[in-house]
Amino acid sequence: MADMKFTYVISCQLYGIHKRSGDPRAQDILRLMITYPSLRVAYIDEVEEPSKDRSKKVNQKDLPSWVKRKPENQNHAIIFTRGEGLQTIDMNQDSYMEEALKMRNLLQEFLKRHDGVRYPSILGLREHIFTGSVSSLTWFMSNQETSFVTIGERLLANPLKARFHYGHPDVFDRLFHLTRGGVNKASKIINLSEDIFAGFNSTLREGNVTHHEYIQVGKGRDVGLNQISLLKLKLLMEMASKR
């Protein structure tokens, strides 16, 4: 019954290249698909197009570099999903059994008019940073992430009614976004804060973004000083770009 209602799609555009070259990472993905038969992998493969003059090959090298990044990685995989709800999560995130039991309650939120007028198009979720106990640096990082992705998003949703889409654990109305350009924006220039464009896209098309505290998704953050410094730089650049 669960396999009929829920599907798990991994977006890995380089899987075709890894498989042909014998890369060990392709074997890891194959092992996952054998262990979990319901798992699906979306990737771009090399295809020959016969013509009168020559056969043309379309592969990763022919695609512009910005297509291979995270925004188009998500939009590429959305067409292989099914159902009315779509949750996008990153590789550094996980979930818990007790949280999975709440998914039915969360999906029922799509049937409520939270602002009294519109049904929600994005259900915002909170994150739990599980790497906070590694060191004092990660403890600081965990507190910063909590203020950024939970407390801040909660305030933006209610009472400000200005929450867009921070990113990863949020649940989309799949049919709403599939017919309005996808869940992300791929651009040659803007690959810095691509997540928020889904919120812009949803709000400008009369959608509604909410935030819910009773369900959470685990998230692991960088534990090294260099990685934390680079992330801080990215967040500062994101804030500057929003202004």
Side-chain angles (χ1 to χ4, degrees):
M1 182 65 70
D3 289 343
M4 295 173 61
K5 292 187 176 182
F6 301 96
T7 57
Y8 200 158
V9 179
I10 296 177
S11 184
C12 181
Q13 296 191 39
L14 295 175
Y15 176 64
I17 296 177
H18 291 164
K19 184 169 60 173
R20 286 191 303 274
S21 63
D23 194 299
R25 288 174 289 187
Q27 295 298 321
D28 294 337
I29 294 178
L30 179 60
R31 191 178 302 111
L32 284 174
M33 289 191 290
I34 294 174
T35 305
Y36 305 100
S38 300
L39 186 66
R40 300 290 182 266
V41 178
Y43 65 96
I44 298 177
D45 203 0
E46 186 178 89
V47 178
E48 291 191 5
E49 297 180 354
S51 62
K52 295 181 180 179
D53 301 328
R54 59 178 181 175
S55 61
K56 180 182 178 182
K57 293 184 178 181
V58 179
N59 55 35
Q60 279 279 340
K61 295 181 180 179
D62 298 326
L63 299 175
S65 60
W66 56 273
V67 173
K68 306 174 190 177
R69 299 182 183 179
K70 177 186 171 184
E72 199 56 31
N73 212 28
Q74 291 185 351
N75 286 334
H76 159 252
I78 190 176
I79 60 175
F80 301 105
T81 58
R82 299 293 182 268
E84 299 179 8
L86 175 68
Q87 184 180 32
T88 57
I89 60 175
D90 280 352
M91 293 178 63
N92 63 332
Q93 293 184 297
D94 65 3
S95 189
Y96 313 98
M97 181 62 185
E98 59 271 22
E99 300 299 322
L101 297 176
K102 304 174 186 176
M103 185 55 68
R104 179 189 179 277
N105 301 74
L106 180 68
L107 295 178
Q108 291 295 312
E109 302 285 354
F110 279 121
L111 305 179
K112 300 179 182 178
R113 291 187 174 95
H114 292 268
D115 61 353
V117 179
R118 298 165 296 175
Y119 293 105
S121 53
I122 298 178
L123 302 177
L125 275 65
R126 68 187 302 270
E127 292 180 349
H128 168 247
I129 311 300
F130 56 78
T131 53
S133 60
V134 175
S135 65
S136 58
L137 279 174
T138 56
W139 174 81
F140 169 77
M141 189 68 185
S142 174
N143 290 334
Q144 185 272 332
E145 282 286 307
T146 301
S147 64
F148 177 58
V149 304
T150 298
I151 300 175
E153 299 298 315
R154 178 197 305 152
L155 177 64
L156 289 173
N158 189 19
L160 298 181
K161 301 295 183 183
R163 188 188 193 277
F164 291 111
H165 168 55
Y166 160 67
H168 322 298
D170 291 358
V171 180
F172 293 87
D173 182 334
R174 178 178 171 273
L175 300 180
F176 180 95
H177 288 87
L178 191 62
T179 56
R180 290 166 175 82
V183 298
N184 237 317
K185 293 295 182 185
S187 169
K188 292 182 179 181
I189 301 173
I190 305 174
N191 280 288
L192 180 65
S193 180
E194 69 281 347
D195 299 318
I196 197 172
F197 289 98
F200 290 162
N201 193 38
S202 178
T203 303
L204 290 172
R205 287 160 175 79
E206 299 184 357
N208 184 25
V209 185
T210 61
H211 184 77
H212 306 276
E213 295 282 343
Y214 60 82
I215 184 171
Q216 66 181 8
V217 173
K219 185 175 185 179
R221 268 303 184 187
D222 299 316
V223 297
L225 179 60
N226 291 336
Q227 290 85 355
I228 292 176
S229 300
L230 291 175
L231 180 64
K232 292 293 182 184
L233 177 61
K234 177 187 175 183
L235 294 178
L236 290 174
M237 294 176 67
E238 286 182 356
M239 294 175 64
S241 66
K242 292 174 185 178
R243 291 182 180 179

